[in-house]
Amino acid sequence: MSEFTLLELTARLRECAGDAEEGVDLDGDVLDTPFIELGYDSLALLQVTGVIKRELGIELSDDAVVEAETPRLLLDMINASSTLAA
């Protein structure tokens, strides 16, 4: 599998939990912006990772997801898990 990208992550966030906070551009440089500032809580992230598990077979622990406070950290976890699964 190729690397899971920020574009793919933001698309899943929008699908599962709606748009970001008003005034936040998910298409901008949000890699290091905390999810809470983007308007996504841990429940939204768990929904997204559930979809990723169903679509890609990548499973992350709930604790790991909660610890991933930014898109960059979550993408790193997803891509590391993808590499291990391959």
Side-chain angles (χ1 to χ4, degrees):
M1 180 186 117
S2 61
E3 184 172 281
F4 195 77
T5 66
L6 179 60
L7 182 62
E8 292 169 307
L9 177 60
T10 56
R12 300 308 187 294
L13 283 166
R14 286 180 174 126
E15 290 169 13
C16 295
D19 286 322
E21 282 286 317
E22 189 172 320
V24 173
D25 179 14
L26 279 182
D27 297 321
D29 183 15
V30 296
L31 272 174
D32 296 310
T33 305
F35 281 113
I36 200 73
E37 288 181 24
L38 298 174
Y40 299 107
D41 60 11
S42 57
L43 181 58
L45 297 178
L46 291 171
Q47 290 174 322
V48 168
T49 55
V51 168
I52 290 170
K53 179 182 175 185
R54 283 192 305 278
E55 291 178 353
L56 306 174
I58 298 170
E59 186 170 0
L60 302 173
S61 74
D62 292 350
D63 290 338
V65 172
V66 171
E67 290 175 19
E69 296 179 354
T70 66
R72 181 184 308 274
L73 292 172
L74 185 57
L75 285 170
D76 288 347
M77 287 181 189
I78 292 168
N79 288 318
S81 294
S82 172
T83 302
L84 292 174

